[in-house]
Amino acid sequence: IDADGPDAPAVTVVSEGLARRLWPNESPIGRRLWYPWTTTTVVGVVGDVRRETLGAPPDLVFYVPFSQHTTAQVSFAARITGNAALMIPQMRDAVWSVDGELAITNSGTMASLISRSANDERYRTLLMGMFGVLAAALAAVGVFAVTARAVAQRTREMGIRMALGAREAEMVTTVLRGSIATSLLGVAIGIFGAFWASRIVSGFLFDVEPSDPLTYGAVASALLILCLLASYLPARRIARLDPVDVLKAE
């Protein structure tokens, strides 16, 4: 503002992180801040920012009026209503209307700037996501095959039970009960391992906690449903067979 001209007392605005570091549990307003070329008075506090990447810790920074500390490189941002990309040419023209020889090295929307800053994390997350989907698919096939094989190995037992008068619904229920118990144990062990391993990939997560209950619940439910299907289908097929044919086959 006009009051912060080159002849006015030097002032600065500090970030919240810097204020906590220099003046913990105290108000920074009115404090003096020394840096190489001058001494300034703190007149305000602003939120922390991440200047490079979203995963980096917030910078400890302070801001001084441009009129009190000029620099050869200047960046400015404008808040507009509507399509920001359409305003970029007009902003360039506005700069060149002041000085046509000024070099504009970079321009773009804030959304594109944020997107570029997250490119590395996005690619790593995409790669890990692809491996995760492949691993989940292999695990699903393995769980289905192992469970179905375990049920098929009980064919002789089921044939004897049916010969003694067990009904189809009772047989299927018995198989499913045993499968649920085994599945719950496996899911519990898997959740514990996933909870421990999630700390390794926590740096790739934004606005999602490593222990997100919705994610764990969805995965656990999917595995349980898969195990039930892998048990129900072969159990129902075997229970519908003639007990005599089952025993003869054995």
Side-chain angles (χ1 to χ4, degrees):
I1 61 177
D2 296 337
D4 295 329
D7 298 328
V11 293
T12 185
V13 174
V14 299
S15 66
E16 292 179 346
L18 183 60
R20 287 192 298 267
R21 175 71 63 85
L22 298 180
W23 305 285
N25 302 320
E26 298 179 17
S27 173
I29 304 301
R31 298 283 183 170
R32 303 287 287 175
L33 181 65
W34 290 267
Y35 53 95
W37 57 89
T38 188
T39 302
T40 66
T41 302
V42 178
V43 295
V45 181
V46 295
D48 293 326
V49 295
R50 294 175 173 85
R51 293 190 300 173
E52 299 298 332
T53 62
L54 294 176
D59 296 313
L60 303 179
V61 297
F62 61 92
Y63 306 90
V64 297
F66 180 75
S67 59
Q68 295 182 358
H69 176 63
T70 58
T71 179
Q73 296 182 348
V74 179
S75 299
F76 69 91
R79 184 189 299 273
I80 67 169
T81 301
N83 191 340
L86 298 178
M87 293 296 297
I88 294 176
Q90 300 181 36
M91 295 174 68
R92 291 199 195 101
D93 294 338
V95 172
W96 286 329
S97 67
V98 177
D99 187 345
E101 296 182 357
L102 288 177
I104 300 177
T105 58
N106 190 18
S107 61
T109 64
M110 191 62 66
S112 63
L113 179 62
I114 295 175
S115 178
R116 288 197 301 269
S117 71
N119 277 343
D120 291 341
E121 287 80 4
R122 183 183 299 109
Y123 294 146
R124 285 196 294 265
T125 303
L126 178 61
L127 184 61
M128 293 184 65
M130 293 174 61
F131 282 120
V133 171
L134 179 60
L138 292 176
V141 173
V143 168
F144 190 93
V146 171
T147 305
R149 177 61 178 170
V151 174
Q153 289 179 340
R154 300 179 62 182
T155 300
R156 180 178 177 81
E157 173 194 346
M158 296 176 66
I160 295 175
R161 287 175 178 269
M162 288 187 293
L164 295 176
R167 292 177 296 180
E168 176 183 340
E170 295 176 348
M171 296 301 304
V172 174
T173 301
T174 300
V175 172
L176 291 181
R177 188 181 298 115
S179 178
I180 289 176
T182 304
S183 301
L184 287 174
L185 177 61
V187 168
I189 295 174
I191 289 178
F192 176 79
F195 183 80
W196 176 81
S198 64
R199 306 302 172 184
I200 302 176
V201 298
S202 59
F204 299 101
L205 304 177
F206 300 102
D207 297 328
V208 177
E209 294 295 328
S211 55
D212 179 46
L214 181 61
T215 301
Y216 282 84
V219 173
S221 301
L223 288 176
L224 289 176
I225 292 174
L226 183 68
C227 291
L228 289 177
L229 286 176
S231 302
Y232 174 76
L233 295 178
R236 185 181 180 187
R237 177 180 57 81
I238 296 173
R240 289 183 172 181
L241 297 177
D242 190 319
V244 177
D245 295 335
V246 172
L247 296 176
K248 284 182 179 180
E250 292 292 328

